[in-house]
Amino acid sequence: MTGLASAFRALGATATALLAITAATTPLAQAHSEPKAPKEFVALRTVDPTIIQEMRYRTVHNFVGEPVDGYRRPLCIVTRPTAQALHRAQSKLLRQGYSLKVYDCYRPQRAVDHFVRWAKDLEDEAMKKEFYPQVDKSRLFEDGYIAEKSGHSRGSTVDLTIVKLPALPTRPYVPGERLVPCYAPRSERFPDNSVDMGTGFDCFDTLSHTDDPRIQGRQRANRQLLKSTLGAVGFVNLPEEWWHFTYKPEPFPDTFFDFPVAWRSVAGH
């Protein structure tokens, strides 16, 4: 009986070891081993719940054509000073009958890596007709549309627009629907609920340059309203993209983070 008992004990030890290995490789264990955001990061919603969030990279309606790596939830995460500055800008706009709407905030490095892989795959042009109709995909790096690092990964950069209140919902994008160039007249391109900025978000075209002289009238006024409102609270615009702003001074000017966009990344902040 002693030999039989020893065999059972050995078998039990082996099973326990196998269970431990299995548990360590489960998604739950992997999730707990992932990096979390430093305490200086917050979910924007906890600072200003009135700012509209339409997180495009969590959906298939973006230039890649699929949800982007690292976006676990449709959630805007930024550094606390950035969130507080957005709150100040939002307060001004609300008094004028407008609201901010964010498309992207903190962006994990793994998402940037996804963009790079996509850009190198010259066969994948599923979303070209909407987002980069006049740009050869082989030039996306050279022309500056895609890079291996992004200021978004530092946590103080946001992509955003303005919506006239009361805000009408943006209809869902239907995968496979006919794509219209992002610089087409507003009545023809995808019906975003924002004010008319002359192009859609993430439009890879020189018309997206904030001060492009071809953008006039109401479109130019809308861009200037966004730029001046954000500039007054510490944001600097990227001249090539009317939607792209960075809060200065950045708490993390030289650090590119890779924690996922998820509530647990900022839990307790």
Side-chain angles (χ1 to χ4, degrees), residues 199-218:
T199 77
F201 165 60
D202 259 356
C203 188
F204 295 0
D205 194 275
T206 54
L207 280 171
S208 293
H209 292 187
T210 307
D211 293 320
D212 188 287
R214 293 168 292 177
I215 300 297
Q216 294 293 326
R218 175 49 56 186

Side-chain angles (χ1 to χ4, degrees), residues 46-117:
T46 64
V47 176
D48 193 322
T50 70
I51 295 174
I52 300 168
Q53 299 190 25
E54 186 181 314
M55 310 307 290
R56 286 285 187 88
Y57 299 140
R58 182 69 178 81
T59 75
V60 298
H61 189 212
N62 58 64
F63 60 85
V64 177
E66 63 183 3
V68 178
D69 290 354
Y71 289 87
R72 305 282 174 76
R73 293 289 183 269
L75 180 68
C76 174
I77 295 175
V78 287
T79 57
R80 187 176 296 277
T82 304
Q84 293 168 338
L86 288 171
H87 172 64
R88 294 194 296 274
Q90 176 75 343
S91 297
K92 293 181 180 180
L93 287 172
L94 288 175
R95 290 194 293 269
Q96 301 174 65
Y98 295 99
S99 172
L100 290 172
K101 179 173 81 168
V102 291
Y103 293 113
D104 192 37
C105 301
Y106 158 74
R107 181 184 304 166
Q109 181 60 46
R110 68 191 75 180
V112 179
D113 295 342
H114 191 166
F115 291 166
V116 170
R117 291 194 306 274

